[in-house]
Amino acid sequence: MTAMADRIPSSLLDRLPPLRGRLSENAELAKVTWFRVGGPAEVMFRPADREDLADFLKNTPSDIPVTVIGVASNLLVRDGGIPGVTVRLGRDFADITTEDHDVICGAAALDLNVAKAACAAGVAGLEFLSGVPGTIGGGLRMNAGAYGREIKDVLVAAEVIDSQGVLRWVPAAELGHSYRQASFPADWVCVGARFRGESGAPEDIKARMDEIQTQRAESQPIRNRTGGSTFKNPLDGKAWQLIDAAGCRGLTVGDAMVSELHCNFLINRGQATATDLETLGEEVRARVKRHSGVELEWEIKRIGVPLSGQPQGDRP
């Protein structure tokens, strides 16, 4: 029996509205997160389509927590799991089409697949997405970026469903994107996006994507169990340089380690827990603060609850 099952009433499914998508209790999340850690989702909901998701958001009681995840590439799920309902969009939200210089896609589409589709259609400017792990939905929420560009640089509009179940397109200018964040309401669920590039030769676009993939392989621990960049870059520096200068390269807590290849990445060497990884990240923040006076901000999103007796949250 998990700690989550001990703590949460078993009647949650009975309180949800009729839905056409798939519902499952105590869904294992460690199998889907890139870190391969974390407790279960109390209930996992995989909506059948946009209408099904809209019905869920409109009719689910407001006291039930709702969390939306993608492929969990930049996510740390705590060991106690996620209370309430965890929504995970599936293949019905992963469509990709092109229209002139625009690429229209669902929020569950992988960033890499969107870049590939743009390349095939001769749409330049979206190559950076091939270097961003994850899905478009997560990218919209955090204004993901790499190699000199960000989501906001190519976004025309996002398709969202609000907490009342209203589906609409929102212009990019109204989403409040800035460095690694957005200011649109937390209870909006992104279900699609329209991006705009420019005309380009597919062979040139592919060459740039290949260059990005080579750079990633040489500079990032992409073959390890990791979660992408751990901390945001401060305004006047690079997080990895501050971490390195504070002597944290190769630092360990349990089976969690600061990557020796790129020290803004944390690695699960095989048996790490979410607590190991979060504790290690907080130790890195503390050492950087002592060494340079800079307080690093987490870029990785940490969600869920710890197991009883485990530490949680940022330290001063």
Side-chain angles (χ1 to χ4, degrees), residues 97-120:
T97 59
T98 58
E99 188 178 284
D100 296 326
H101 296 153
D102 287 6
V103 179
I104 305 97
C105 60
L110 292 172
D111 299 324
L112 175 59
N113 289 345
V114 173
K116 287 181 176 179
C119 177

Side-chain angles (χ1 to χ4, degrees), residues 216-229:
R216 283 192 72 220
E218 291 176 348
S219 64
Q220 299 176 13
I222 60 175
R223 293 179 177 82
N224 297 100
R225 296 177 179 181
T226 186
S229 295

Side-chain angles (χ1 to χ4, degrees), residues 104-311:
I104 305 97
C105 60
L110 292 172
D111 299 324
L112 175 59
N113 289 345
V114 173
K116 287 181 176 179
C119 177
V123 178
L126 276 66
E127 296 91 334
F128 76 98
L129 288 172
S130 66
V132 180
T135 59
I136 293 300
L140 290 168
R141 178 58 68 179
M142 67 175 292
N143 186 31
Y147 303 97
R149 303 208 83 181
E150 300 173 308
I151 287 284
K152 70 179 181 61
D153 297 329
V154 293
L155 182 66
V156 176
E159 187 182 18
V160 305
I161 304 178
D162 66 21
S163 61
Q164 301 305 307
V166 177
L167 173 69
R168 65 182 183 275
W169 284 92
V170 179
E174 297 178 17
L175 297 172
H177 280 129
S178 56
Y179 177 65
R180 298 298 176 268
Q181 63 183 356
S183 61
F184 59 88
D187 59 5
W188 286 8
V189 179
C190 297
V191 294
R194 176 183 283 265
F195 299 108
R196 181 160 298 156
E198 56 194 28
S199 180
E203 59 270 23
D204 294 337
I205 298 170
K206 185 178 185 304
R208 175 55 180 154
M209 289 170 57
D210 289 344
E211 180 185 352
I212 288 172
Q213 291 301 309
T214 298
Q215 290 178 18
R216 283 192 72 220
E218 291 176 348
S219 64
Q220 299 176 13
I222 60 175
R223 293 179 177 82
N224 297 100
R225 296 177 179 181
T226 186
S229 295
T230 306
F231 303 107
K232 299 177 183 180
N233 288 323
L235 290 175
D236 55 353
K238 297 288 187 181
W240 76 264
Q241 292 174 335
L242 295 168
I243 295 167
D244 203 17
C248 297
R249 187 182 294 268
L251 185 67
T252 62
V253 169
D255 221 19
M257 183 177 77
V258 176
S259 171
E260 293 183 339
L261 179 62
H262 191 313
C263 51
N264 196 23
F265 285 70
L266 303 183
I267 292 172
N268 174 5
R269 295 187 294 179
Q271 302 299 318
T273 64
T275 300
D276 290 339
L277 289 158
E278 187 167 12
T279 301
L280 177 58
E282 287 298 318
E283 179 62 25
V284 168
R285 293 180 71 238
R287 293 192 183 197
V288 168
K289 181 69 177 295
R290 287 197 298 269
H291 182 267
S292 66
V294 176
E295 190 161 350
L296 293 175
E297 270 188 79
W298 284 86
E299 182 170 321
I300 287 175
K301 186 177 181 182
R302 296 159 296 152
I303 61 174
V305 297
L307 289 173
S308 178
Q310 288 183 335

Side-chain angles (χ1 to χ4, degrees), residues 54-135:
D55 288 343
F56 165 79
L57 294 172
K58 179 180 180 180
N59 298 310
T60 294
S62 60
D63 64 308
I64 296 178
V66 176
T67 303
V68 182
I69 67 171
V71 293
S73 60
N74 202 227
L75 195 67
L76 181 61
V77 177
R78 293 186 172 109
D79 297 310
I82 305 178
V85 180
T86 299
V87 178
R88 194 169 192 224
L89 307 184
R91 65 183 62 185
D92 292 296
F93 295 83
D95 52 298
I96 305 172
T97 59
T98 58
E99 188 178 284
D100 296 326
H101 296 153
D102 287 6
V103 179
I104 305 97
C105 60
L110 292 172
D111 299 324
L112 175 59
N113 289 345
V114 173
K116 287 181 176 179
C119 177
V123 178
L126 276 66
E127 296 91 334
F128 76 98
L129 288 172
S130 66
V132 180
T135 59

